[in-house]
Amino acid sequence: MLETERYECPYCGEEVEAVLDLSGGDQTYIEDCPVCCRPITFVLQVHGEEWHLEVRSENE
């Protein structure tokens, strides 16, 4: 199950959209910002139909 979520890059402040695959359950992964190319840590928590995405800089 795919969802889209807008987030603000913790480095450059640009608003970007992420495509999330909720079928994998809880996930932590790193992707580069498509604007400034700095690494962003994504923490996705899935609880049935409910989910929460947290984004933070690599050093947080």
Side-chain angles (χ1 to χ4, degrees), residues 1-35:
M1 175 164 65
L2 298 178
E3 292 282 344
T4 58
E5 177 74 3
R6 296 194 71 73
Y7 67 92
E8 188 175 293
C9 173
Y11 299 101
C12 68
E14 288 292 322
E15 189 171 297
V16 188
E17 187 172 89
V19 177
L20 309 172
D21 183 1
L22 304 181
S23 65
D26 292 350
Q27 304 168 42
T28 300
Y29 57 96
I30 297 173
E31 283 188 15
D32 290 342
C33 172
V35 178

PDB file of all heavy atoms in Angstrom, residues 1-35:
ATOM      1  N   MET A   1       0.847  -1.169   0.000  1.00  0.00           N
ATOM      2  CA  MET A   1       0.000   0.000   0.000  1.00  0.00           C
ATOM      3  C   MET A   1       0.898   1.239   0.000  1.00  0.00           C
ATOM      4  O   MET A   1       1.726   1.422   0.887  1.00  0.00           O
ATOM      5  CB  MET A   1      -0.896  -0.041   1.246  1.00  0.00           C
ATOM      6  CG  MET A   1      -1.737   1.178   1.399  1.00  0.00           C
ATOM      7  SD  MET A   1      -3.108   1.018   2.552  1.00  0.00           S
ATOM      8  CE  MET A   1      -2.288   0.797   4.100  1.00  0.00           C
ATOM      9  N   LEU A   2       0.747   2.087  -1.004  1.00  0.00           N
ATOM     10  CA  LEU A   2       1.560   3.291  -1.137  1.00  0.00           C
ATOM     11  C   LEU A   2       0.779   4.522  -0.697  1.00  0.00           C
ATOM     12  O   LEU A   2      -0.410   4.651  -0.971  1.00  0.00           O
ATOM     13  CB  LEU A   2       2.019   3.475  -2.584  1.00  0.00           C
ATOM     14  CG  LEU A   2       2.907   2.381  -3.159  1.00  0.00           C
ATOM     15  CD1 LEU A   2       3.229   2.685  -4.615  1.00  0.00           C
ATOM     16  CD2 LEU A   2       4.182   2.237  -2.363  1.00  0.00           C
ATOM     17  N   GLU A   3       1.464   5.408  -0.012  1.00  0.00           N
ATOM     18  CA  GLU A   3       0.905   6.694   0.421  1.00  0.00           C
ATOM     19  C   GLU A   3       1.920   7.774   0.057  1.00  0.00           C
ATOM     20  O   GLU A   3       3.115   7.507  -0.059  1.00  0.00           O
ATOM     21  CB  GLU A   3       0.693   6.725   1.935  1.00  0.00           C
ATOM     22  CG  GLU A   3      -0.384   5.820   2.447  1.00  0.00           C
ATOM     23  CD  GLU A   3      -1.786   6.379   2.229  1.00  0.00           C
ATOM     24  OE1 GLU A   3      -1.926   7.590   1.959  1.00  0.00           O
ATOM     25  OE2 GLU A   3      -2.735   5.586   2.337  1.00  0.00           O
ATOM     26  N   THR A   4       1.451   8.991  -0.127  1.00  0.00           N
ATOM     27  CA  THR A   4       2.359  10.121  -0.325  1.00  0.00           C
ATOM     28  C   THR A   4       2.231  11.052   0.867  1.00  0.00           C
ATOM     29  O   THR A   4       1.158  11.192   1.452  1.00  0.00           O
ATOM     30  CB  THR A   4       2.052  10.891  -1.623  1.00  0.00           C
ATOM     31  OG1 THR A   4       0.713  11.347  -1.586  1.00  0.00           O
ATOM     32  CG2 THR A   4       2.278  10.023  -2.843  1.00  0.00           C
ATOM     33  N   GLU A   5       3.343  11.665   1.230  1.00  0.00           N
ATOM     34  CA  GLU A   5       3.368  12.580   2.379  1.00  0.00           C
ATOM     35  C   GLU A   5       4.331  13.714   2.059  1.00  0.00           C
ATOM     36  O   GLU A   5       5.447  13.484   1.587  1.00  0.00           O
ATOM     37  CB  GLU A   5       3.830  11.837   3.638  1.00  0.00           C
ATOM     38  CG  GLU A   5       3.967  12.688   4.865  1.00  0.00           C
ATOM     39  CD  GLU A   5       2.629  13.078   5.481  1.00  0.00           C
ATOM     40  OE1 GLU A   5       1.564  12.654   4.991  1.00  0.00           O
ATOM     41  OE2 GLU A   5       2.645  13.819   6.452  1.00  0.00           O
ATOM     42  N   ARG A   6       3.896  14.935   2.296  1.00  0.00           N
ATOM     43  CA  ARG A   6       4.771  16.085   2.114  1.00  0.00           C
ATOM     44  C   ARG A   6       5.532  16.321   3.421  1.00  0.00           C
ATOM     45  O   ARG A   6       4.986  16.139   4.506  1.00  0.00           O
ATOM     46  CB  ARG A   6       3.958  17.304   1.722  1.00  0.00           C
ATOM     47  CG  ARG A   6       3.279  17.073   0.362  1.00  0.00           C
ATOM     48  CD  ARG A   6       2.737  18.316  -0.266  1.00  0.00           C
ATOM     49  NE  ARG A   6       3.717  19.256  -0.767  1.00  0.00           N
ATOM     50  CZ  ARG A   6       4.477  19.105  -1.860  1.00  0.00           C
ATOM     51  NH1 ARG A   6       4.400  18.000  -2.553  1.00  0.00           N
ATOM     52  NH2 ARG A   6       5.319  20.038  -2.245  1.00  0.00           N
ATOM     53  N   TYR A   7       6.792  16.690   3.291  1.00  0.00           N
ATOM     54  CA  TYR A   7       7.626  16.982   4.452  1.00  0.00           C
ATOM     55  C   TYR A   7       8.560  18.130   4.120  1.00  0.00           C
ATOM     56  O   TYR A   7       8.755  18.471   2.959  1.00  0.00           O
ATOM     57  CB  TYR A   7       8.422  15.738   4.890  1.00  0.00           C
ATOM     58  CG  TYR A   7       9.457  15.315   3.881  1.00  0.00           C
ATOM     59  CD1 TYR A   7      10.766  15.786   3.958  1.00  0.00           C
ATOM     60  CD2 TYR A   7       9.137  14.452   2.839  1.00  0.00           C
ATOM     61  CE1 TYR A   7      11.720  15.414   3.027  1.00  0.00           C
ATOM     62  CE2 TYR A   7      10.087  14.072   1.910  1.00  0.00           C
ATOM     63  CZ  TYR A   7      11.372  14.559   2.009  1.00  0.00           C
ATOM     64  OH  TYR A   7      12.311  14.192   1.083  1.00  0.00           O
ATOM     65  N   GLU A   8       9.130  18.728   5.152  1.00  0.00           N
ATOM     66  CA  GLU A   8      10.080  19.816   4.981  1.00  0.00           C
ATOM     67  C   GLU A   8      11.486  19.287   5.234  1.00  0.00           C
ATOM     68  O   GLU A   8      11.741  18.665   6.268  1.00  0.00           O
ATOM     69  CB  GLU A   8       9.750  20.935   5.964  1.00  0.00           C
ATOM     70  CG  GLU A   8      10.555  22.187   5.742  1.00  0.00           C
ATOM     71  CD  GLU A   8      10.107  23.303   6.655  1.00  0.00           C
ATOM     72  OE1 GLU A   8       8.980  23.791   6.487  1.00  0.00           O
ATOM     73  OE2 GLU A   8      10.894  23.667   7.553  1.00  0.00           O
ATOM     74  N   CYS A   9      12.389  19.532   4.297  1.00  0.00           N
ATOM     75  CA  CYS A   9      13.772  19.089   4.469  1.00  0.00           C
ATOM     76  C   CYS A   9      14.357  19.758   5.703  1.00  0.00           C
ATOM     77  O   CYS A   9      14.261  20.981   5.852  1.00  0.00           O
ATOM     78  CB  CYS A   9      14.597  19.440   3.237  1.00  0.00           C
ATOM     79  SG  CYS A   9      16.369  19.110   3.445  1.00  0.00           S
ATOM     80  N   PRO A  10      14.975  18.982   6.618  1.00  0.00           N
ATOM     81  CA  PRO A  10      15.550  19.570   7.835  1.00  0.00           C
ATOM     82  C   PRO A  10      16.791  20.427   7.565  1.00  0.00           C
ATOM     83  O   PRO A  10      17.246  21.132   8.456  1.00  0.00           O
ATOM     84  CB  PRO A  10      15.891  18.353   8.695  1.00  0.00           C
ATOM     85  CG  PRO A  10      16.004  17.218   7.743  1.00  0.00           C
ATOM     86  CD  PRO A  10      15.093  17.526   6.598  1.00  0.00           C
ATOM     87  N   TYR A  11      17.325  20.371   6.351  1.00  0.00           N
ATOM     88  CA  TYR A  11      18.511  21.155   6.010  1.00  0.00           C
ATOM     89  C   TYR A  11      18.156  22.439   5.271  1.00  0.00           C
ATOM     90  O   TYR A  11      18.462  23.532   5.724  1.00  0.00           O
ATOM     91  CB  TYR A  11      19.480  20.344   5.145  1.00  0.00           C
ATOM     92  CG  TYR A  11      20.003  19.110   5.808  1.00  0.00           C
ATOM     93  CD1 TYR A  11      19.478  17.868   5.495  1.00  0.00           C
ATOM     94  CD2 TYR A  11      21.012  19.175   6.762  1.00  0.00           C
ATOM     95  CE1 TYR A  11      19.949  16.715   6.097  1.00  0.00           C
ATOM     96  CE2 TYR A  11      21.488  18.032   7.378  1.00  0.00           C
ATOM     97  CZ  TYR A  11      20.961  16.807   7.039  1.00  0.00           C
ATOM     98  OH  TYR A  11      21.426  15.679   7.639  1.00  0.00           O
ATOM     99  N   CYS A  12      17.495  22.308   4.116  1.00  0.00           N
ATOM    100  CA  CYS A  12      17.249  23.473   3.258  1.00  0.00           C
ATOM    101  C   CYS A  12      15.854  24.063   3.439  1.00  0.00           C
ATOM    102  O   CYS A  12      15.576  25.147   2.938  1.00  0.00           O
ATOM    103  CB  CYS A  12      17.490  23.129   1.791  1.00  0.00           C
ATOM    104  SG  CYS A  12      16.306  21.961   1.052  1.00  0.00           S
ATOM    105  N   GLY A  13      14.953  23.348   4.130  1.00  0.00           N
ATOM    106  CA  GLY A  13      13.623  23.871   4.394  1.00  0.00           C
ATOM    107  C   GLY A  13      12.635  23.737   3.242  1.00  0.00           C
ATOM    108  O   GLY A  13      11.494  24.166   3.371  1.00  0.00           O
ATOM    109  N   GLU A  14      13.055  23.165   2.129  1.00  0.00           N
ATOM    110  CA  GLU A  14      12.143  22.985   0.995  1.00  0.00           C
ATOM    111  C   GLU A  14      11.098  21.932   1.304  1.00  0.00           C
ATOM    112  O   GLU A  14      11.380  20.938   1.971  1.00  0.00           O
ATOM    113  CB  GLU A  14      12.917  22.568  -0.261  1.00  0.00           C
ATOM    114  CG  GLU A  14      13.740  23.664  -0.864  1.00  0.00           C
ATOM    115  CD  GLU A  14      12.914  24.784  -1.466  1.00  0.00           C
ATOM    116  OE1 GLU A  14      11.857  24.517  -2.069  1.00  0.00           O
ATOM    117  OE2 GLU A  14      13.339  25.941  -1.329  1.00  0.00           O
ATOM    118  N   GLU A  15       9.879  22.147   0.816  1.00  0.00           N
ATOM    119  CA  GLU A  15       8.821  21.159   0.984  1.00  0.00           C
ATOM    120  C   GLU A  15       8.924  20.151  -0.159  1.00  0.00           C
ATOM    121  O   GLU A  15       8.997  20.524  -1.329  1.00  0.00           O
ATOM    122  CB  GLU A  15       7.448  21.821   0.967  1.00  0.00           C
ATOM    123  CG  GLU A  15       6.348  20.871   1.354  1.00  0.00           C
ATOM    124  CD  GLU A  15       5.022  21.565   1.555  1.00  0.00           C
ATOM    125  OE1 GLU A  15       4.935  22.400   2.457  1.00  0.00           O
ATOM    126  OE2 GLU A  15       4.102  21.252   0.787  1.00  0.00           O
ATOM    127  N   VAL A  16       8.970  18.875   0.192  1.00  0.00           N
ATOM    128  CA  VAL A  16       9.172  17.793  -0.768  1.00  0.00           C
ATOM    129  C   VAL A  16       8.122  16.713  -0.502  1.00  0.00           C
ATOM    130  O   VAL A  16       7.572  16.629   0.604  1.00  0.00           O
ATOM    131  CB  VAL A  16      10.593  17.192  -0.609  1.00  0.00           C
ATOM    132  CG1 VAL A  16      10.903  16.215  -1.715  1.00  0.00           C
ATOM    133  CG2 VAL A  16      11.649  18.275  -0.564  1.00  0.00           C
ATOM    134  N   GLU A  17       7.856  15.886  -1.498  1.00  0.00           N
ATOM    135  CA  GLU A  17       6.890  14.807  -1.330  1.00  0.00           C
ATOM    136  C   GLU A  17       7.603  13.458  -1.346  1.00  0.00           C
ATOM    137  O   GLU A  17       8.450  13.210  -2.197  1.00  0.00           O
ATOM    138  CB  GLU A  17       5.855  14.860  -2.461  1.00  0.00           C
ATOM    139  CG  GLU A  17       4.720  13.882  -2.276  1.00  0.00           C
ATOM    140  CD  GLU A  17       3.631  14.103  -3.294  1.00  0.00           C
ATOM    141  OE1 GLU A  17       3.720  13.497  -4.379  1.00  0.00           O
ATOM    142  OE2 GLU A  17       2.708  14.880  -3.010  1.00  0.00           O
ATOM    143  N   ALA A  18       7.248  12.605  -0.403  1.00  0.00           N
ATOM    144  CA  ALA A  18       7.806  11.253  -0.331  1.00  0.00           C
ATOM    145  C   ALA A  18       6.707  10.248  -0.645  1.00  0.00           C
ATOM    146  O   ALA A  18       5.549  10.456  -0.296  1.00  0.00           O
ATOM    147  CB  ALA A  18       8.357  10.970   1.064  1.00  0.00           C
ATOM    148  N   VAL A  19       7.085   9.169  -1.311  1.00  0.00           N
ATOM    149  CA  VAL A  19       6.169   8.044  -1.540  1.00  0.00           C
ATOM    150  C   VAL A  19       6.549   6.974  -0.532  1.00  0.00           C
ATOM    151  O   VAL A  19       7.703   6.532  -0.482  1.00  0.00           O
ATOM    152  CB  VAL A  19       6.285   7.513  -2.985  1.00  0.00           C
ATOM    153  CG1 VAL A  19       5.370   6.307  -3.174  1.00  0.00           C
ATOM    154  CG2 VAL A  19       5.934   8.601  -3.988  1.00  0.00           C
ATOM    155  N   LEU A  20       5.581   6.565   0.284  1.00  0.00           N
ATOM    156  CA  LEU A  20       5.830   5.624   1.374  1.00  0.00           C
ATOM    157  C   LEU A  20       5.169   4.287   1.081  1.00  0.00           C
ATOM    158  O   LEU A  20       4.011   4.248   0.671  1.00  0.00           O
ATOM    159  CB  LEU A  20       5.261   6.188   2.683  1.00  0.00           C
ATOM    160  CG  LEU A  20       5.669   7.612   3.028  1.00  0.00           C
ATOM    161  CD1 LEU A  20       4.872   8.102   4.226  1.00  0.00           C
ATOM    162  CD2 LEU A  20       7.149   7.700   3.286  1.00  0.00           C
ATOM    163  N   ASP A  21       5.898   3.199   1.294  1.00  0.00           N
ATOM    164  CA  ASP A  21       5.360   1.852   1.143  1.00  0.00           C
ATOM    165  C   ASP A  21       5.011   1.329   2.528  1.00  0.00           C
ATOM    166  O   ASP A  21       5.879   0.892   3.278  1.00  0.00           O
ATOM    167  CB  ASP A  21       6.383   0.944   0.460  1.00  0.00           C
ATOM    168  CG  ASP A  21       5.859  -0.454   0.217  1.00  0.00           C
ATOM    169  OD1 ASP A  21       4.680  -0.734   0.562  1.00  0.00           O
ATOM    170  OD2 ASP A  21       6.614  -1.271  -0.316  1.00  0.00           O
ATOM    171  N   LEU A  22       3.736   1.386   2.872  1.00  0.00           N
ATOM    172  CA  LEU A  22       3.288   0.987   4.198  1.00  0.00           C
ATOM    173  C   LEU A  22       3.249  -0.520   4.391  1.00  0.00           C
ATOM    174  O   LEU A  22       3.175  -1.004   5.522  1.00  0.00           O
ATOM    175  CB  LEU A  22       1.900   1.572   4.484  1.00  0.00           C
ATOM    176  CG  LEU A  22       1.762   3.092   4.357  1.00  0.00           C
ATOM    177  CD1 LEU A  22       0.343   3.509   4.693  1.00  0.00           C
ATOM    178  CD2 LEU A  22       2.765   3.819   5.212  1.00  0.00           C
ATOM    179  N   SER A  23       3.329  -1.279   3.300  1.00  0.00           N
ATOM    180  CA  SER A  23       3.232  -2.739   3.405  1.00  0.00           C
ATOM    181  C   SER A  23       4.441  -3.355   4.093  1.00  0.00           C
ATOM    182  O   SER A  23       4.375  -4.489   4.555  1.00  0.00           O
ATOM    183  CB  SER A  23       3.055  -3.360   2.019  1.00  0.00           C
ATOM    184  OG  SER A  23       4.208  -3.148   1.225  1.00  0.00           O
ATOM    185  N   GLY A  24       5.540  -2.610   4.221  1.00  0.00           N
ATOM    186  CA  GLY A  24       6.740  -3.122   4.878  1.00  0.00           C
ATOM    187  C   GLY A  24       6.745  -2.945   6.379  1.00  0.00           C
ATOM    188  O   GLY A  24       7.715  -3.319   7.037  1.00  0.00           O
ATOM    189  N   GLY A  25       5.699  -2.337   6.942  1.00  0.00           N
ATOM    190  CA  GLY A  25       5.661  -2.110   8.388  1.00  0.00           C
ATOM    191  C   GLY A  25       6.594  -0.990   8.794  1.00  0.00           C
ATOM    192  O   GLY A  25       6.938  -0.127   7.997  1.00  0.00           O
ATOM    193  N   ASP A  26       7.015  -1.008  10.063  1.00  0.00           N
ATOM    194  CA  ASP A  26       7.910   0.034  10.579  1.00  0.00           C
ATOM    195  C   ASP A  26       9.237   0.005   9.828  1.00  0.00           C
ATOM    196  O   ASP A  26       9.789  -1.073   9.566  1.00  0.00           O
ATOM    197  CB  ASP A  26       8.170  -0.172  12.069  1.00  0.00           C
ATOM    198  CG  ASP A  26       6.930   0.070  12.921  1.00  0.00           C
ATOM    199  OD1 ASP A  26       5.917   0.573  12.398  1.00  0.00           O
ATOM    200  OD2 ASP A  26       6.991  -0.244  14.118  1.00  0.00           O
ATOM    201  N   GLN A  27       9.736   1.193   9.480  1.00  0.00           N
ATOM    202  CA  GLN A  27      10.974   1.284   8.709  1.00  0.00           C
ATOM    203  C   GLN A  27      11.766   2.509   9.137  1.00  0.00           C
ATOM    204  O   GLN A  27      11.203   3.526   9.499  1.00  0.00           O
ATOM    205  CB  GLN A  27      10.659   1.439   7.216  1.00  0.00           C
ATOM    206  CG  GLN A  27       9.792   0.363   6.634  1.00  0.00           C
ATOM    207  CD  GLN A  27       9.298   0.737   5.255  1.00  0.00           C
ATOM    208  OE1 GLN A  27      10.058   1.274   4.446  1.00  0.00           O
ATOM    209  NE2 GLN A  27       8.034   0.495   4.981  1.00  0.00           N
ATOM    210  N   THR A  28      13.084   2.391   9.080  1.00  0.00           N
ATOM    211  CA  THR A  28      13.983   3.520   9.220  1.00  0.00           C
ATOM    212  C   THR A  28      14.951   3.446   8.050  1.00  0.00           C
ATOM    213  O   THR A  28      15.568   2.406   7.819  1.00  0.00           O
ATOM    214  CB  THR A  28      14.761   3.470  10.548  1.00  0.00           C
ATOM    215  OG1 THR A  28      13.827   3.498  11.627  1.00  0.00           O
ATOM    216  CG2 THR A  28      15.709   4.649  10.680  1.00  0.00           C
ATOM    217  N   TYR A  29      15.047   4.528   7.292  1.00  0.00           N
ATOM    218  CA  TYR A  29      15.933   4.523   6.131  1.00  0.00           C
ATOM    219  C   TYR A  29      16.409   5.937   5.842  1.00  0.00           C
ATOM    220  O   TYR A  29      15.893   6.901   6.405  1.00  0.00           O
ATOM    221  CB  TYR A  29      15.236   3.919   4.902  1.00  0.00           C
ATOM    222  CG  TYR A  29      13.953   4.607   4.499  1.00  0.00           C
ATOM    223  CD1 TYR A  29      13.947   5.584   3.518  1.00  0.00           C
ATOM    224  CD2 TYR A  29      12.739   4.281   5.100  1.00  0.00           C
ATOM    225  CE1 TYR A  29      12.777   6.214   3.152  1.00  0.00           C
ATOM    226  CE2 TYR A  29      11.568   4.904   4.737  1.00  0.00           C
ATOM    227  CZ  TYR A  29      11.592   5.869   3.756  1.00  0.00           C
ATOM    228  OH  TYR A  29      10.429   6.491   3.403  1.00  0.00           O
ATOM    229  N   ILE A  30      17.426   6.052   4.993  1.00  0.00           N
ATOM    230  CA  ILE A  30      18.010   7.340   4.650  1.00  0.00           C
ATOM    231  C   ILE A  30      17.856   7.570   3.151  1.00  0.00           C
ATOM    232  O   ILE A  30      18.123   6.668   2.351  1.00  0.00           O
ATOM    233  CB  ILE A  30      19.505   7.397   5.042  1.00  0.00           C
ATOM    234  CG1 ILE A  30      19.644   7.271   6.549  1.00  0.00           C
ATOM    235  CG2 ILE A  30      20.155   8.685   4.531  1.00  0.00           C
ATOM    236  CD1 ILE A  30      21.069   7.155   7.043  1.00  0.00           C
ATOM    237  N   GLU A  31      17.394   8.779   2.795  1.00  0.00           N
ATOM    238  CA  GLU A  31      17.311   9.207   1.399  1.00  0.00           C
ATOM    239  C   GLU A  31      17.868  10.616   1.318  1.00  0.00           C
ATOM    240  O   GLU A  31      17.704  11.402   2.250  1.00  0.00           O
ATOM    241  CB  GLU A  31      15.864   9.214   0.895  1.00  0.00           C
ATOM    242  CG  GLU A  31      15.316   7.863   0.579  1.00  0.00           C
ATOM    243  CD  GLU A  31      13.954   7.945  -0.104  1.00  0.00           C
ATOM    244  OE1 GLU A  31      13.561   9.037  -0.583  1.00  0.00           O
ATOM    245  OE2 GLU A  31      13.278   6.924  -0.142  1.00  0.00           O
ATOM    246  N   ASP A  32      18.496  10.933   0.188  1.00  0.00           N
ATOM    247  CA  ASP A  32      19.006  12.286  -0.012  1.00  0.00           C
ATOM    248  C   ASP A  32      17.872  13.217  -0.404  1.00  0.00           C
ATOM    249  O   ASP A  32      16.959  12.831  -1.143  1.00  0.00           O
ATOM    250  CB  ASP A  32      20.067  12.306  -1.109  1.00  0.00           C
ATOM    251  CG  ASP A  32      21.354  11.628  -0.696  1.00  0.00           C
ATOM    252  OD1 ASP A  32      21.562  11.444   0.522  1.00  0.00           O
ATOM    253  OD2 ASP A  32      22.148  11.277  -1.580  1.00  0.00           O
ATOM    254  N   CYS A  33      17.930  14.451   0.072  1.00  0.00           N
ATOM    255  CA  CYS A  33      16.969  15.474  -0.317  1.00  0.00           C
ATOM    256  C   CYS A  33      17.111  15.715  -1.818  1.00  0.00           C
ATOM    257  O   CYS A  33      18.230  15.893  -2.316  1.00  0.00           O
ATOM    258  CB  CYS A  33      17.236  16.773   0.450  1.00  0.00           C
ATOM    259  SG  CYS A  33      16.243  18.171  -0.119  1.00  0.00           S
ATOM    260  N   PRO A  34      16.002  15.729  -2.566  1.00  0.00           N
ATOM    261  CA  PRO A  34      16.102  15.962  -4.007  1.00  0.00           C
ATOM    262  C   PRO A  34      16.487  17.400  -4.350  1.00  0.00           C
ATOM    263  O   PRO A  34      16.836  17.682  -5.493  1.00  0.00           O
ATOM    264  CB  PRO A  34      14.702  15.624  -4.527  1.00  0.00           C
ATOM    265  CG  PRO A  34      13.806  15.733  -3.357  1.00  0.00           C
ATOM    266  CD  PRO A  34      14.644  15.436  -2.147  1.00  0.00           C
ATOM    267  N   VAL A  35      16.471  18.304  -3.376  1.00  0.00           N
ATOM    268  CA  VAL A  35      16.819  19.698  -3.620  1.00  0.00           C
ATOM    269  C   VAL A  35      18.281  19.969  -3.258  1.00  0.00           C
ATOM    270  O   VAL A  35      19.064  20.419  -4.085  1.00  0.00           O
ATOM    271  CB  VAL A  35      15.879  20.651  -2.851  1.00  0.00           C
ATOM    272  CG1 VAL A  35      16.275  22.101  -3.065  1.00  0.00           C
ATOM    273  CG2 VAL A  35      14.429  20.418  -3.257  1.00  0.00           C
TER     274      VAL A  35
END
